[in-house]
Structure formats: structure tokens, C-alpha cells
């Protein structure tokens, strides 16, 4: 079964970009020219360009046309599979350790997203404490990461956990001071498309997904105390891990 005409044209344009006919930062032909060259209607040509835009391969810029996106060299966040500590408290990523909160956290009580609620054991309409932060470079003030903590209402309501300023060490020191420690963490890494608000906050071009790190904080007896949802541009960052040999993988003698 043949692909629709707009997908065939999109495939041709994609191949031309990959071969370097249209380098990064340069413009594709105008819609009228694409349509004429391919022998298709202008609307079909627009649909072809829209497909490339949805992939994050091009962006439509007013008065400049359709521009091949300049792809950044990705910055690797090497997750050491350990928790560290400095004067500000616990942290999990040495690469991002210098980043700071660019504004005071937004605090609210609302239902958690479905996947987060499932981990917290909260109902679909049950309110939880939401602490939302935007992290970035202290010099440029450029937003690099969104970090949202979700905590059970029974644990957080009426405590300092629900205040904007949680003091030295943040919520993890508070949780341990509340007798919930020593804390235990586990992480998973995934991706999804951003919401419109997330795309604006991180200045993401259309078609760029979010890299997502979900961290669950538990007490020693396994009670879930917090779920942290950290998001950043999958176009700018990648997650790296070092790989070591298990004793079973020793080279043959």
C-alpha cells in the first residue's frame, strides 16, 4: 500500500536534509516551490512540512520560512547510581549539581498524574502535595530542567513540607527529621512529549520530547514518601551510565 503523497514528499525532504542538501540553519524551498516540484497541491506540501515539524526536524519561523533545525551536541548526564550530599543537601546528578532553582517553588494541592498517583497509592481525584521547581544555570539563568515532587497528603499536610522554604537540606532532610529515614531511592528513565506549558517553560521547539527521570523516595519499611518527576529536553540531554564487568564476565584466560 502506497504512502499518502504528503508522506512521500516528506520522505524526500527528510532524505535531502540528511544528505546535506539543506544544511542546518538554512531554509527549505517555499511551499509553492515544493508543490510545483512534486506536482502536488499546496495543502499537500504544507502537510509534508508539518510532518517534518512534528518530528522536530524543521521549524517554521515567521518571515524566514521553514528552517532546518540546528541540532545541539547532547550533554551527557552521567548517573552514578549513588546519592551525594553537599551544603544544600542530597543530590543525585553531579553534572546538574551546580544548577539552582530559578524561582521560588510553586506549591499546590491537586491530584497527581495517573502514573504518579499509582506509585503513591493515591486515588484519581485524591489531592497530594505538589512542589514544582524550575532549575537552571546560575550564570545565564537559562531554564534547563523541571522538577516536580509529589507527596502524600497524609504525610505533608500541616507540616513544613508544604511551605515554600523547607530550610537547609530541603524535603529530604525534613523527611528524615520526621523519623522517616534513612531514605531509600530508586529511579527509572523514560520519555514523553511535553505539555504546552512544559514546552514554553523549557523553550522546546515543536516535536522535541522530554527526557524524564522518575525517582521514588521510600522509608526503610517501603512506604512511598515522594515521587519526583524531573524533565528536560531530550534534544539537549542524554543519560549515561558506566558499565563494569560482573565476575561472570571476566575475559577468558
Amino acid at each position: 500500500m502506497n504512502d499518502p503523497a504528503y508522506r512521500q514528499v516528506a520522505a524526500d525532504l527528510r532524505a535531502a536534509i540528511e544528505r546535506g542538501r539543506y544544511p542546518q540553519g538554512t531554509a527549505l524551498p517555499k511551499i509553492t516551490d515544493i508543490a510545483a516540484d512534486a506536482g502536488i497541491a499546496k495543502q499537500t506540501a504544507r502537510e509534508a512540512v508539518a510532518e517534518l515539524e512534528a518530528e522536530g526536524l524543521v521549524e517554521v519561523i515567521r518571515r524566514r520560512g521553514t528552517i532546518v533545525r540546528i541540532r545541539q551536541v547532547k550533554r551527557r548526564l552521567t548517573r552514578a547510581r549513588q546519592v551525594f550530599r553537599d551544603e544544600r543537601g542530597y543530590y543525585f546528578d553531579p553534572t546538574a549539581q551546580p544548577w539552582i532553582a530559578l524561582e521560588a517553588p510553586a506549591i499546590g494541592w491537586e491530584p497527581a498524574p495517573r502514573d504518579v498517583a499509582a506509585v503513591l497509592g493515591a486515588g484519581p481525584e485524591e489531592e497530594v502535595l505538589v512542589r514544582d521547581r524550575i532549575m537552571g544555570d546560575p550564570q545565564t539563568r537559562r531554564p534547563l530542567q523541571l522538577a516536580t515532587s509529589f507527596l502524600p497528603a497524609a504525610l505533608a499536610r500541616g507540616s513544613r513540607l508544604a511551605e515554600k522554604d523547607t530550610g537547609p537540606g530541603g524535603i529530604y532532610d525534613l523527611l528524615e527529621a520526621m523519623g522517616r529515614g534513612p531514605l531509600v531511592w530508586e529511579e527509572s528513565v523514560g520519555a514523553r512529549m511535553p505539555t504546552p506549558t512544559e514546552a514554553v517553560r523549557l523553550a522546546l521547539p515543536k516535536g522535541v520530547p522530554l527526557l524524564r527521570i522518575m525517582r521514588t523516595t521510600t522509608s526503610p519499611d517501603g512506604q512511598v514518601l515522594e515521587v519526583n518527576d524531573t524533565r528536560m529536553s531530550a534534544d539537549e540531554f542524554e543519560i549515561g551510565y558506566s558499565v563494569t564487568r560482573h565476575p561472570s564476565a571476566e575475559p577468558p584466560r
Side-chain angles (χ1 to χ4, degrees), residues 197-209:
T197 299
E198 289 170 332
V200 169
R201 296 182 80 189
L202 289 175
L204 298 179
K206 189 174 181 179
V208 173

Side-chain angles (χ1 to χ4, degrees), residues 44-208:
T44 305
R46 290 191 188 94
E47 291 172 354
V49 169
E51 179 159 295
L52 299 181
E53 186 182 18
E55 294 174 16
L57 194 57
V58 302
E59 54 186 330
V60 178
I61 300 177
R62 188 178 180 184
R63 296 182 181 176
R64 288 189 60 196
T66 303
I67 307 300
V68 179
R69 285 193 54 232
I70 298 175
R71 310 303 291 268
Q72 302 182 55
V73 176
K74 290 189 178 184
R75 298 167 61 181
R76 171 163 291 198
L77 301 177
T78 301
R79 309 293 288 188
R81 304 188 186 184
Q82 291 179 302
V83 61
F84 302 87
R85 188 174 179 90
D86 61 13
E87 67 280 359
R88 293 185 292 175
Y90 295 118
Y91 66 96
F92 300 83
D93 186 347
T95 306
Q97 185 268 344
W99 299 351
I100 63 169
L102 299 180
E103 55 192 49
I107 310 296
W109 296 91
E110 58 189 75
R114 183 182 303 175
D115 55 348
V116 174
V119 178
L120 288 173
E125 301 299 324
E126 182 179 343
E127 286 188 343
V128 301
L129 174 63
V130 181
R131 300 183 58 89
D132 193 37
R133 297 186 302 164
I134 183 164
M135 310 295 292
D137 187 293
Q139 302 299 321
T140 65
R141 309 293 294 182
R142 177 170 170 254
L144 297 171
Q145 186 183 85
L146 304 177
T148 306
S149 290
F150 302 88
L151 297 95
L155 172 69
R157 201 176 292 278
S159 76
R160 195 173 178 184
L161 292 166
E163 298 179 10
K164 284 187 179 292
D165 183 3
T166 52
I171 64 171
Y172 295 138
D173 276 17
L174 280 179
L175 288 169
E176 293 192 323
M178 292 165 67
R180 304 288 179 160
L183 301 177
V184 180
W185 296 275
E186 64 176 38
E187 286 185 345
S188 63
V189 179
R192 65 168 170 80
M193 295 307 295
T195 66
T197 299
E198 289 170 332
V200 169
R201 296 182 80 189
L202 289 175
L204 298 179
K206 189 174 181 179
V208 173

